[in-house]
């Protein structure tokens, strides 16, 4: 474990916003995480785990606790007939995991190409894109409970996966150290989402996992901001899931709306509401704005503050509520 003091959260998050963290503890192994927890206990600190900081909006004031920077590396493979179980260290970059799997020609992970962050963060949010969700590949996670010190293995049921949700989002004392995913030697392209189907009609080769991953990255690069240039954490809000009654009253008011069946109701693309109903595509207040190519994405230009971004996001949520009666939830977390 390495210890750094007074490190700016601007350097550790893709929003490039936030104050100083009193301690940053970089962990390269489970033993390092255990050592970090001892350090935290001895100094009576609070702590937060960060991977790549790509789903986080940090506050401006000094964080007096410790940031546990998850950098556990490693890939272990167990092959069983058609299935391949791969255990990744929580600090492996998700994109590296996707590239590794897709380049072997193994199926299951390719639609999730281009998502920023670490493998350890993927179950927290149950990341999903283009009809694939982490939980479909998921076998287990190794979790260190910071309250009890116990190291245990959680299966999918224990993780309580939901839409961009899991037990880990609500229990920050559970630290994900390793993630095991199951991919397969044989598989079929999943090209049902509009953007992928469109790529096929345009002649893009989508016959192998590596080609699908490449196409997904290409599509995302046009639609979502480049994190190395823009201050952003991708989609700021979740797409709302509303009741059938609420959907009926929306269609009565606005006519046909895009919608998709969800487990607990009907999922509506928030980008459609922001763009076509509220006309907020590109809406800006000072240096903070909704991205022109995808209004669900909030972008902050250099030297922005938490307070301003937070106020801007609240304004957007309020506008959505006043117009549609839908309460939208944030996907981005504030540590
Ligand atoms: P999109 O494909 O235009 O989809 C917008 C919304 O419609 C999403 O809620 C999506 O659900 C839903 N949807 C679209 N086609 C669907 C289908 N065939 N079946 C079921 N639901 C469908 O969205 P986008 O903004 O361009 O993003 C593409 C994908 O990447 C989406 O899956 C999105 O969730 C994901 N993504 C996630 C983030 C993030 O930060 N979490 C950022 C960028 C993109 P789903 O959300 O369930 O897919």
């Amino acid at each position: 474990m390495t210890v750094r003091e007074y490190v700016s959260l601007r350097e550790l998050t893709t929003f490039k916003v936030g104050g100083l963290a009193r301690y940053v503890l970089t962990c390269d192994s489970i033993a390092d995480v255990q050592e970090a927890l001892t350090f935290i206990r001895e100094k009576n600190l609070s702590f937060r785990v960060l991977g790549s900081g790509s789903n986080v909006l940090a506050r401006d004031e000094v964080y007096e606790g410790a940031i546990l920077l998850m950098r556990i590396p490693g890939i272990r493979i167990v092959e069983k007939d058609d299935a391949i179980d791969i255990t990744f260290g929580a600090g492996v970059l998700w994109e590296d995991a996707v590239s590794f799997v897709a380049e072997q020609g193994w199926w299951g992970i390719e639609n999730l190409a281009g998502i920023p962050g670490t493998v350890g963060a993927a179950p927290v949010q149950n990341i999903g894109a283009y009809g694939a969700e982490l939980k479909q590949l998921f076998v287990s996670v190794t979790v260190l409970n910071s309250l009890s010190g116990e190291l245990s293995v959680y299966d999918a049921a224990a993780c309580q996966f939901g839409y961009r949700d899991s037990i880990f989002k609500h229990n920050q004392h559970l630290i994900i150290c390793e993630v095991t995913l199951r991919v397969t030697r044989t598989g079929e392209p999943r090209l049902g989402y509009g953007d992928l189907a469109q790529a096929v009609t345009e002649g893009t080769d989508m016959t192998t996992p590596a080609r699908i991953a490449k196409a997904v990255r290409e599509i995302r690069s046009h639609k979502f901001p480049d994190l190395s240039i823009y201050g952003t954490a991708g989609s700021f809000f979740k797409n709302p899931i509303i009741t059938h009654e609420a959907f009926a009253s929306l269609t009565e008011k606005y006519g046909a709306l895009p919608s998709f069946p969800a487990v607990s109701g009907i999922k509506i693309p928030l980008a459609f509401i922001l763009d076509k109903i509220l006309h907020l595509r590109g809406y800006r207040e000072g240096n903070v704005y909704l991205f022109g190519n995808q209004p669900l994405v909030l972008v902050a230009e250099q030297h922005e503050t938490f307070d301003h971004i937070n106020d801007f996001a609240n304004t957007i949520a309020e506008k959505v509520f006043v117009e549609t009666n839908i309460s939208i939830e944030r996907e981005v977390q504030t540590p």
Side-chain angles (χ1 to χ4, degrees):
M1 176 187 77
T2 57
V3 181
R4 286 184 287 158
E5 295 187 54
Y6 294 111
V7 178
S8 173
L9 285 163
R10 286 174 185 259
E11 293 167 25
L12 301 178
T13 61
T14 59
F15 244 129
K16 305 176 182 69
V17 167
L20 299 174
R22 178 71 181 85
Y23 294 103
V24 171
L25 312 176
T26 304
C27 297
D28 293 327
S29 63
I30 294 179
D32 271 2
V33 180
Q34 288 165 324
E35 191 184 342
L37 291 178
T38 304
F39 180 98
I40 286 162
R41 208 167 30 251
E42 283 173 359
K43 291 195 162 17
N44 198 21
L45 301 168
S46 64
F47 78 93
R48 294 285 180 269
V49 179
L50 268 191
S52 306
S54 55
N55 202 35
V56 166
L57 176 60
R59 295 182 195 279
D60 298 323
E61 54 266 29
V62 174
Y63 176 57
E64 291 293 351
I67 298 292
L68 201 157
L69 207 54
M70 185 54 78
R71 293 290 178 265
I72 300 175
I75 300 182
R76 297 195 305 275
I77 297 172
V78 177
E79 304 195 31
K80 307 173 197 161
D81 304 325
D82 189 47
I84 300 119
D85 285 1
I86 313 179
T87 300
F88 296 96
V92 173
L93 290 177
W94 179 258
E95 261 294 73
D96 290 348
V98 173
S99 298
F100 174 79
V101 172
E103 278 160 21
Q104 311 301 313
W106 296 337
W107 292 87
I109 208 169
E110 59 282 353
N111 287 29
L112 300 174
I115 298 181
T118 55
V119 174
V124 177
Q125 152 89 350
N126 182 23
I127 58 169
Y130 301 105
E133 257 187 327
L134 181 96
K135 72 174 185 188
Q136 297 160 348
L137 305 157
F138 185 84
V139 176
S140 63
V141 278
T142 303
V143 172
L144 184 58
N145 183 324
S146 66
L147 299 178
S148 66
E150 195 186 346
L151 200 59
S152 47
V153 174
Y154 282 35
D155 65 8
C159 295
Q160 300 173 17
F161 291 123
Y163 182 57
R164 307 289 183 269
D165 197 27
S166 75
I167 190 172
F168 306 108
K169 218 163 182 176
H170 314 283
N171 290 277
Q172 300 200 357
H173 65 285
L174 300 175
I175 304 173
I176 296 174
C177 296
E178 289 183 339
V179 180
T180 303
L181 303 177
R182 180 163 299 163
V183 296
T184 52
R185 282 180 209 287
T186 54
E188 290 290 325
R190 289 164 296 167
L191 306 174
Y193 267 49
D195 286 346
L196 302 190
Q198 172 75 19
V200 173
T201 59
E202 287 166 3
T204 309
D205 185 342
M206 305 276 242
T207 52
T208 68
R211 286 179 184 145
I212 294 168
K214 181 168 179 275
V216 167
R217 284 187 194 109
E218 176 72 15
I219 291 165
R220 291 182 71 110
S221 73
H222 294 301
K223 218 162 173 181
F224 300 105
D226 181 342
L227 300 183
S228 65
I229 300 170
Y230 297 90
T232 184
S235 302
F236 195 88
F237 300 102
K238 293 182 185 183
N239 289 301
I241 295 173
I242 62 175
T243 63
H244 289 265
E245 295 73 36
F247 181 66
S249 61
L250 275 185
T251 50
E252 200 175 308
K253 193 167 170 192
Y254 301 110
L257 294 172
S259 64
F260 302 94
V263 178
S264 54
I266 297 186
K267 186 172 57 187
I268 313 277
L270 181 57
F272 182 89
I273 295 174
L274 294 171
D275 183 15
K276 304 289 188 229
I277 296 182
L278 289 160
H279 308 292
L280 291 175
R281 179 187 283 267
Y283 176 73
R284 175 187 277 268
E285 287 182 6
N287 289 334
V288 185
Y289 58 95
L290 299 182
F291 196 57
N293 292 356
Q294 169 45 288
L296 195 51
V297 174
L298 199 155
V299 178
E301 287 173 354
Q302 279 191 338
H303 310 306
E304 255 314 328
T305 62
F306 170 88
D307 285 343
H308 188 206
I309 297 169
N310 193 48
D311 290 348
F312 180 87
N314 285 340
T315 303
I316 300 298
E318 178 70 12
K319 284 177 188 287
V320 171
F321 184 74
V322 168
E323 182 65 32
T324 64
N325 212 29
I326 297 173
S327 298
I328 54 173
E329 277 178 53
R330 290 183 183 193
E331 184 177 298
V332 169
Q333 295 189 294
T334 291

